Amino acid sequence: MSAPGESGREALNRVWAQPRGWRYFSEVNNTAVGLWYLAAGLGFFAVAGVLALLMRLQLAWPWMGFLGPEAYNQVFTMHGTIMMVVFAVPIMEAVAVYVLPQMLGVRDLPFPRLSSYGFWCYLLGGLLLLSSFLFGPVPNGGWFMYTPLSGPEYTPGLNTDFWLLGLTFIEISAVAACIELIVGIMKTRAPGMSLDRMPILGWAFLTVAVMILFAFPPLLLGDVLLEAERVLDWPFFDAGRGGDPLLWQHLFWFFGHPEVYIIFLPGAAMVSTILPTFCGRPLVGHQWVVVATIATGILSFGLWVHHMFAAGIPLLSLSLFSAASMAVAIPSGIQVFAWLATLWGARPRWDTPFLFVIGFLVIFVIGGLTGVMVASVPFDWQVTDTHFVVAHFHYVLIGGAIFPLFGALTYWFPLPSGRLMDETVGKWSFWLMFVGFNVTFFPLHVLGLLGMPRRVYTYPGGLGWEWLNLTATIGAFVLGAGVAVFFANLAWSWKRGRPAGHDPWKAGTLEWAGPTPLTDSGGASVPRVRSLHPLWDQPAEMAAAARGEALMCRPTTHGRETLRVSAVSAEPQQVIQVSGPGWSQVAAAAATAVMFGAGTFHLWGVAAAGGVVTLALLTRWAWHSDRQPPMARVDIGQGIVVPTYAADHSSHAWWAAVVAVLFDGAAYLALLSAYVFLWLVNPVWPPPPWEGRIALGDILAGGGMLAVAAVLAHAGAGLHRRGRHWALPAGLGGAVAVAVAVAWTGLSTLTAADLGPTRHAFPATVWVMALYTLVHLGVATLLALLVLARQAAGLVTPVRRMTVMMTVLAWDFAAFTGLASMAMLVLWPATGGGGGICTW
Amino acid sequence: MLQSALRTATPQAESLAGLWWLMLGLSVAVFAVVMALLAAGLLMPRRPPPGERVIMVGVGVTVVVLGGLLVHSTLVGARVAAGTDGDPLRVEVVGRQWWWEVRYPQDGAVLANEIRLPAGRPVEIALISGDVIHSFWVPGLAGKMDLVPGHPNLLRITPAEPGVFRGQCGEYCGTQHALMAFMVVVQPPADFARWLVGQGEPAAEPADGLAARGRALFLSSGCGACHTVRGTAADGRVGPDLTHVGSRLTIGAGILPQNVGTLGGWIANSQAIKPGNAMPVFDQFSGGELRAIATWLAGLE
Amino acid sequence: MVSLRDATLVVAAPGLWFGYFLLVYGVHALACRFLWPSGPVLAAVTALTAAALAAEAWPLRRLARIEPAGFYRAAGLGLGALSLLATLWVAATSWMVPPCG
């Protein structure tokens, strides 16, 4: 409740005030969570960087005894894993969490508690992975973790388990970021910021989030299958028992290649943000850069096999991927030409962020050219898995992501600190990094051509590799010094830098509309946007907005709120009340950590307890969500009146549910693809011992019951919406009863069929498909029970029914995927020549 | 330069090197143009930005260059993969952690970490994994081809002239991936034929008393549980076949030259030289005993 | 006003390309396993995809009327052109290499 006589701004400051002391960590607002994310990311970057220096020391000269083979293998595995999965992707998400809401002119992301949960999962997951150094079994199978080397036979220790469970844990944060970014970008922007007025950074993160949505689920599936092979001996990757090591490679690289662009696209977007500011003019060809961003994102899904050019796959298949790999260079070319055109005769200001941009351009062009080279199948046969490739992807990733990131950190530093980073020290850090980088990585091209493979802990003399390696090692320490200087500059300038004041770089985008440092509320009011560069094109309106004279200048629902707009044209649709500080997400992340940590050590009882507690905490969290403020409609200023609650398909919550289901669906598609792949490599599928094991009638009955459950859920929800309150418990209760029956008969059928999942990949895959459906029926059941409890507590009504919509979606999804699995089992093998699993 | 991809001895590797020089030339040209544009754009006096049309021009040029390169590279790939016509010699290579077993199935010869090939005749190398994934790579002769469990692969090359080349495992395969190398010796056809006949024969009888003592020690110390020496009771299949180890250039998978000294050192403490390899430490032997065994092995030509 | 459906149309082309790409890859894998002739299938699929990409330009014209700045239309045409190019490149390489080698 607003205090009497309190001004709008005072009320805003009160509801958005960040807790002090240790309670600060109960905060969920993007400006706090984003900062923690950035700090943690840079911390992991430092660790992985030190590991890189250890490697370079060991390789400085032939037969060095600094690291033994086992230690070296652990170090390169952890360097790659941390850099790719624990640093690069999360730090890009961190930048998005921190800066994107401000740039899009809103006060927070739509689901702050989810971002916060994602952050804590990320931090604890990264620490779980790192803790392997304390316990000893450090992952040593390479960041690509190829089977069978990483499997139970050749890595019997816990090394691979740390990797699999640590990564799976961290993936929770990727899912959270994916939902948050897609819904945040599409549904919460300043009014008037239609998609054609959205900055490139928004486009890049939208593209990246959609890429995460489809790239990460296959890795998640691969993690689950490999852990099942390690713990349960289900032979998905064992060629002797119908599995295939190449299945892992397909699953991993379907994630691994887009992953590179998930890192690069935000980097390029930072360049597209910084460069126009320092040139004092708009990006030439803005729309073509948008086109390039989207095209890169989608084309990058057609590249995964180019990591497997030497695996013996038919040449024609490889050529398809070669064509796609060359095609993806074209959108990168569009971006380079757009940047060149923008700075053509612009007489830019040479501050540190701009230096990093120019350094990026030089390095990235080289990395792009060697990228075209390795896209050539025959040339790649020579250089794949050599230091040439090491050079190539460091040019792309350090050049394409680290340089823009460091430029961006310098650029946006005033937002949290209110200060500028020191220019002189900044220039030193740039030049040390630029020179050190090239001295380190340029010689590696030559080393690769001279025959030096990757991932070798030592090498003999006499092959012409000595001096190039020594040069690279010296360069690495110069590069490391540059990074250290940059970090020192960050730390020093945080309290002692020159005050930045308002819009220190004369930028055109909304994050600079207010004072620095940002206020907790993220701005006194929300402006109406009419341009791609509102600060350049509508200065008077922006100044008024900064004085609190635009929209949403007071918390009309008495809580933290943000504005939901229409997806394309950004017309106001709803004031969303978002969560404030609390501990439930921290507790849930801690419980999740117990689950994954205990699972790593195969302490299944403890892990199960952690899982139950996690589930309980998430349920409690869900209980308090789907808020409906008492006032149905509010005036947000300038005569705009919008509702405060909506349960329809334009709602941000519905979008989030759809995104989550798409993620899950992508994992399911990966599972079906794995099934088809194994069918392709096995001469007879299913193998004779599994022919006719299950009666067709049993499968048809199960499918029918799944359909009935979904229909019951639909009918109950539909009638409830029309005011029949009894219909909800009847429909959902009926669905739950049917689900229990399906689970019971399904499990007893499968058990009676005695498939023996350890004997062959076929029964193992059948079991995974069955378990997938069982787990989803379980989730749908939990949601149904939650909805019924909420209805009993008066939290679900025919109007306030978002949780009902989500629950019905869960039933639909469980039933649909279950039916698809059954159809697959019955129909697909029939085309393979052999008999099916069913007796007809 | 024993392992350079640019010192080539087959038409296949030659094509790959040619592709490299072509792409290097193109890349240098593109890089020079882009850097010149960057420098000019940054240094020139202030002027309004060019229109979007320049982007289209740049993209048009990129499409033409990349399209041409794609066609060329695809055709080179097809040619290289097809090999050359003729009656091929078939060699089987089995990759194991962390050494290479080499078999000439038509002649019964089995050796390790060394492949000999006749100059001028097409060769088909069947690549088989004995455990995890490895990658067969002799940069001077061909690009990489993986050894994948369950997927036997075939590499076709045609060594043109005699020479010695070093190869190495290209795919990370565990602790000693770094020290999993081998030598390829391309010989004149007549020399090769003589060598191959010799490799198919059982081990030679010891030349002197020292060697005879070495053989006795070898057989009584359990070495035969892992190693085969054809013509003796030693028939183990875990480690390399040593029937003609004295004829090889290297030991330990391409990491030490083969002679009495290195053989003795390897037997005494291979774990110090190549930590993690499957061979136990034999520090129970006296210096004299080591010398005897090593002398016998070095004499197995 | 530009609707969500219009915006979806704008980004449809690369999705179409990806579907085409997977189809070519899949048809080829099946053809090698069962020794079918894949050529006619691939040619038909390529022609269909190219036609669909070209046809997509038609509804995009409508956007020019409701959105004078031309952002969505340009983006849609740009993505369509890139997707068409990638389709033709993929098709071209698949005709240059003997299948199942």
Side-chain angles (χ1 to χ4, degrees):
Chain A
M1 286 293 118
S2 57
E6 190 183 35
S7 74
R9 184 176 306 198
E10 285 161 354
L12 272 181
N13 288 343
R14 177 171 52 75
V15 301
W16 288 96
Q18 299 193 345
R20 304 280 160 192
W22 59 275
R23 287 178 192 280
Y24 172 61
F25 292 101
S26 68
E27 182 53 85
V28 294
N29 180 232
N30 75 296
T31 52
V33 174
L35 273 191
W36 309 338
Y37 235 129
L38 282 166
L42 291 176
F44 286 118
F45 175 66
V47 171
V50 169
L51 295 177
L53 293 180
L54 298 181
M55 279 192 278
R56 276 319 317 168
L57 270 182
Q58 167 63 20
L59 292 182
W61 203 250
W63 301 118
M64 288 281 281
F66 176 65
L67 291 177
E70 199 41 49
Y72 185 89
N73 295 342
Q74 295 175 348
V75 164
F76 85 67
T77 299
M78 289 296 272
H79 168 77
T81 303
I82 296 176
M83 282 297 191
M84 294 299 283
V85 187
V86 193
F87 161 67
V89 171
I91 201 123
M92 292 306 175
E93 291 162 5
V95 170
V97 167
Y98 183 79
V99 88
L100 211 49
Q102 265 62 40
M103 191 182 252
L104 300 181
V106 292
R107 293 211 164 94
D108 205 337
L109 290 161
F111 310 103
R113 196 172 305 289
L114 181 65
S115 315
S116 182
Y117 177 63
F119 164 76
W120 291 108
C121 285
Y122 155 64
L123 179 68
L124 294 171
L127 292 176
L128 172 64
L129 191 63
L130 269 188
S131 73
S132 60
F133 278 111
L134 296 179
F135 295 107
V138 182
N140 58 357
W143 92 282
F144 47 96
M145 217 35 91
Y146 273 8
T147 55
L149 181 61
S150 59
E153 188 177 351
Y154 298 100
T155 308
L158 293 178
N159 316 55
T160 309
D161 304 299
F162 267 102
W163 189 90
L164 290 171
L165 277 92
L167 252 61
T168 306
F169 192 7
I170 291 171
E171 278 204 28
I172 293 176
S173 71
V175 183
C178 171
I179 293 174
E180 195 77 274
L181 291 178
I182 292 178
V183 182
I185 294 167
M186 291 303 285
K187 297 303 293 181
T188 62
R189 303 195 299 272
M193 187 186 279
S194 47
L195 288 180
D196 53 314
R197 294 179 191 148
M198 182 164 76
I200 297 288
L201 201 76
W203 282 105
F205 279 118
L206 181 61
T207 308
V208 159
V210 174
M211 292 170 74
I212 291 176
L213 184 59
F214 294 106
F216 277 54
L219 174 66
L220 194 62
L221 175 75
D223 286 352
V224 170
L225 297 187
L226 182 50
E227 191 60 28
E229 174 162 321
R230 292 179 56 82
V231 175
L232 304 172
D233 193 28
W234 291 13
F236 302 104
F237 308 110
D238 180 349
R241 287 182 286 167
D244 193 336
L246 292 183
L247 172 60
W248 170 264
Q249 297 191 14
H250 282 288
L251 290 172
F252 183 83
W253 290 118
F254 196 89
F255 145 83
H257 200 89
E259 157 99 348
V260 175
Y261 290 89
I262 288 171
I263 296 166
F264 162 67
L265 283 177
M270 290 169 193
V271 170
S272 291
T273 307
I274 297 171
L275 195 127
T277 297
F278 284 82
C279 291
R281 57 166 65 150
L283 186 66
V284 175
H286 167 84
Q287 61 200 1
W288 304 123
V289 176
V290 172
V291 164
T293 303
I294 297 170
T296 305
I298 298 179
L299 284 172
S300 75
F301 280 90
L303 308 189
W304 83 90
V305 168
H306 93 198
H307 298 263
M308 302 157 66
F309 278 173
I313 294 169
L315 185 63
L316 193 147
S317 305
L318 302 186
S319 301
L320 306 177
F321 288 87
S322 180
S325 306
M326 296 233 180
V328 83
I330 296 169
S332 292
I334 294 179
Q335 300 205 61
V336 169
F337 289 115
W339 294 322
L340 287 176
T342 305
L343 51 71
W344 190 257
R347 305 301 294 170
R349 286 173 284 137
W350 287 87
D351 297 309
T352 307
F354 188 71
L355 272 181
F356 275 108
V357 164
I358 296 302
F360 153 85
L361 270 173
V362 176
I363 295 172
F364 177 70
V365 169
I366 297 179
L369 290 168
T370 53
V372 169
M373 293 181 183
V374 295
S376 156
V377 175
F379 181 66
D380 190 65
W381 287 333
Q382 279 291 15
V383 295
T384 183
D385 281 318
T386 71
H387 272 75
F388 187 93
V389 169
V390 176
H392 157 67
F393 70 74
H394 281 91
Y395 267 80
V396 174
L397 290 173
I398 296 187
I402 302 287
F403 273 69
L405 175 73
F406 278 32
L409 289 176
T410 316
Y411 179 71
W412 282 312
F413 187 75
L415 292 181
S417 70
R419 295 171 187 280
L420 291 162
M421 284 174 69
D422 189 88
E423 261 305 307
T424 313
V425 182
K427 290 197 165 95
W428 268 97
S429 64
F430 168 76
W431 284 110
L432 284 170
M433 283 178 67
F434 185 76
V435 172
F437 171 82
N438 284 293
V439 173
T440 309
F441 290 103
F442 199 82
L444 302 191
H445 293 111
V446 186
L447 272 174
L449 289 166
L450 293 183
M452 182 165 173
R454 296 170 75 175
R455 302 160 185 146
V456 291
Y457 78 99
T458 193
Y459 53 93
L463 296 168
W465 302 348
E466 296 90 337
W467 293 103
L468 291 163
N469 270 301
L470 187 64
T471 310
T473 299
I474 293 168
F477 279 84
V478 177
L479 175 57
V483 173
V485 169
F486 186 88
F487 277 30
N489 193 6
L490 274 179
W492 185 88
S493 304
W494 189 258
K495 293 274 185 219
R496 300 184 193 80
R498 193 158 58 80
H502 169 75
D503 193 7
W505 312 111
K506 304 285 171 282
T509 43
L510 281 180
E511 76 273 26
W512 300 105
T516 65
L518 291 174
T519 55
D520 289 351
S521 68
S525 64
V526 175
R528 181 169 269 282
V529 171
R530 302 170 208 283
S531 147
L532 190 55
H533 306 96
L535 264 61
W536 290 346
D537 301 335
Q538 334 162 223
E541 283 171 272
M542 293 303 129
R547 289 193 302 271
E549 294 166 11
L551 307 174
M552 299 188 73
C553 55
R554 63 172 59 245
T556 46
T557 67
H558 309 307
R560 294 184 175 190
E561 49 195 38
T562 190
L563 190 62
R564 171 162 76 78
V565 297
S566 60
V568 178
S569 52
E571 289 310 315
Q573 286 182 329
Q574 182 195 342
V575 163
I576 310 172
Q577 205 182 84
V578 296
S579 334
W583 292 104
S584 60
Q585 74 283 0
V586 186
T592 317
V594 170
M595 180 171 84
F596 280 99
T600 303
F601 290 97
H602 302 172
L603 305 169
W604 303 119
V606 184
V612 169
V613 174
T614 307
L615 220 48
L617 288 164
L618 293 180
T619 307
R620 181 171 169 273
W621 173 357
W623 188 264
H624 294 287
S625 60
D626 195 33
R627 273 182 293 256
Q628 185 186 29
M631 55 297 279
R633 305 176 73 80
V634 291
D635 182 342
I636 58 170
Q638 298 179 356
I640 301 172
V641 178
V642 289
T644 61
Y645 184 83
D648 56 34
H649 290 174
S650 73
S651 160
H652 60 294
W654 177 253
W655 277 60
V658 169
V659 171
V661 162
L662 284 175
F663 189 95
D664 202 344
Y668 180 70
L669 278 181
L671 176 58
L672 288 193
S673 307
Y675 179 88
V676 173
F677 180 85
L678 290 173
W679 165 77
L680 263 177
V681 296
N682 276 277
V684 185
W685 182 273
W690 286 276
E691 274 179 28
R693 279 298 183 90
I694 299 175
L696 181 64
D698 287 348
I699 292 195
L700 290 181
M705 284 156 83
L706 279 179
V708 167
V711 169
L712 281 175
H714 264 283
L719 287 170
H720 172 252
R721 186 183 188 180
R722 277 176 234 122
R724 315 271 161 75
H725 293 273
W726 54 268
L728 199 56
L732 291 181
V736 168
V738 174
V740 171
V742 172
W744 177 257
T745 52
L747 275 175
S748 37
T749 307
L750 282 173
T751 318
D754 189 23
L755 297 176
T758 59
R759 281 156 56 201
H760 193 277
F762 173 74
T765 313
V766 171
W767 262 108
V768 171
M769 287 160 83
L771 289 174
Y772 183 90
T773 296
L774 286 176
V775 166
H776 282 77
L777 285 176
V779 170
T781 298
L782 275 181
L783 285 174
L785 297 178
L786 179 69
V787 162
L788 295 182
R790 283 178 68 105
Q791 189 193 25
L795 298 174
V796 164
T797 68
V799 173
R800 188 179 179 183
R801 57 185 298 277
M802 182 47 73
T803 47
V804 179
M805 291 169 67
M806 291 177 173
T807 303
V808 172
L809 185 63
W811 281 98
D812 281 346
F813 184 77
F816 180 77
T817 52
L819 283 167
S821 295
M822 291 174 182
M824 198 80 178
L825 284 180
V826 173
L827 299 176
W828 193 274
T831 63
I837 192 175
C838 299
T839 43
W840 290 78
Chain B
M1 305 297 126
L2 212 53
Q3 199 164 316
S4 166
L6 304 177
R7 173 184 162 267
T8 58
T10 62
Q12 289 81 21
E14 181 76 44
S15 297
L16 306 186
L19 198 55
W20 154 250
W21 291 116
L22 171 75
M23 292 195 294
L24 177 68
L26 279 175
S27 298
V28 168
V30 171
F31 183 71
V33 168
V34 172
M35 287 305 112
L37 289 173
L38 176 64
L42 287 172
L43 298 175
M44 71 171 48
R46 180 173 288 278
R47 63 156 69 197
E52 292 177 1
R53 189 160 300 189
V54 298
I55 301 178
M56 297 302 132
V57 173
V59 170
V61 174
T62 312
V63 167
V64 171
V65 173
L66 278 178
L69 185 60
L70 176 64
V71 169
H72 178 67
S73 143
T74 307
L75 293 176
V76 168
R79 194 172 69 230
V80 168
T84 47
D85 293 337
D87 168 37
L89 170 73
R90 193 177 163 88
V91 184
E92 290 176 1
V93 173
V94 183
R96 303 186 190 283
Q97 285 181 324
W98 293 279
W99 60 284
W100 307 86
E101 183 173 301
V102 179
R103 304 195 288 233
Y104 293 76
Q106 283 139 351
D107 306 274
V110 178
L111 66 160
N113 306 317
E114 187 165 311
I115 304 173
R116 297 206 180 194
L117 302 172
R121 182 177 169 191
V123 182
E124 278 186 3
I125 304 180
L127 298 169
I128 302 153
S129 164
D131 39 45
V132 301
I133 299 176
H134 305 277
S135 194
F136 181 87
W137 188 36
V138 193
L141 303 184
K144 280 172 216 72
M145 182 72 91
D146 292 352
L147 293 74
V148 185
H151 294 265
N153 279 328
L154 203 60
L155 185 67
R156 295 187 183 87
I157 54 172
T158 315
E161 51 204 282
V164 176
F165 302 86
R166 189 172 187 269
Q168 189 167 355
C169 179
E171 182 64 80
Y172 175 65
C173 57
T175 310
Q176 276 300 352
H177 165 60
L179 301 183
M180 185 174 164
F182 57 101
M183 304 303 281
V184 180
V185 183
V186 180
Q187 294 179 302
D191 293 0
F192 171 77
R194 213 163 28 246
W195 172 86
L196 189 56
V197 170
Q199 292 289 318
E201 288 171 356
E205 282 300 304
D208 54 26
L210 185 61
R213 183 172 167 233
R215 178 169 77 173
L217 275 166
F218 183 92
L219 294 173
S220 65
S221 307
C223 304
C226 294
H227 294 283
T228 292
V229 178
R230 281 170 273 141
T232 75
D235 59 356
R237 302 292 307 273
V238 178
D241 183 308
L242 299 178
T243 308
H244 298 285
V245 65
S247 69
R248 295 179 204 156
L249 298 176
T250 65
I251 62 166
I255 59 174
L256 292 173
Q258 183 272 130
N259 57 47
V260 173
T262 55
L263 281 166
W266 178 267
I267 296 165
N269 195 355
S270 70
Q271 293 301 328
I273 302 164
K274 186 171 174 178
N277 88 80
M279 177 144 157
V281 168
F282 285 88
D283 51 4
Q284 71 271 36
F285 290 131
S286 70
E289 289 170 332
L290 278 175
R291 180 148 200 89
I293 301 173
T295 303
W296 175 60
L297 289 173
L300 296 176
E301 293 187 9
Chain C
M1 227 166 18
V2 180
S3 68
L4 191 57
R5 182 177 299 186
D6 295 329
T8 313
L9 185 69
V10 166
V11 296
L16 212 55
W17 170 82
F18 187 60
Y20 166 76
F21 184 80
L22 287 185
L23 206 61
V24 173
Y25 181 60
V27 164
H28 178 65
L30 290 175
C32 286
R33 157 102 192 241
F34 297 110
L35 304 175
W36 301 337
S38 57
V41 182
L42 293 184
V45 171
T46 305
L48 269 177
T49 309
L53 286 171
E56 204 211 335
W58 197 252
L60 284 171
R61 283 159 47 94
R62 195 181 68 84
L63 288 177
R65 286 202 302 277
I66 53 177
E67 190 243 347
F71 172 84
Y72 299 97
R73 183 168 153 271
L77 290 177
L79 286 169
L82 279 175
S83 307
L84 187 61
L85 184 77
T87 301
L88 295 180
W89 278 14
V90 165
T93 51
S94 67
W95 286 320
M96 277 190 285
V97 178
C100 316

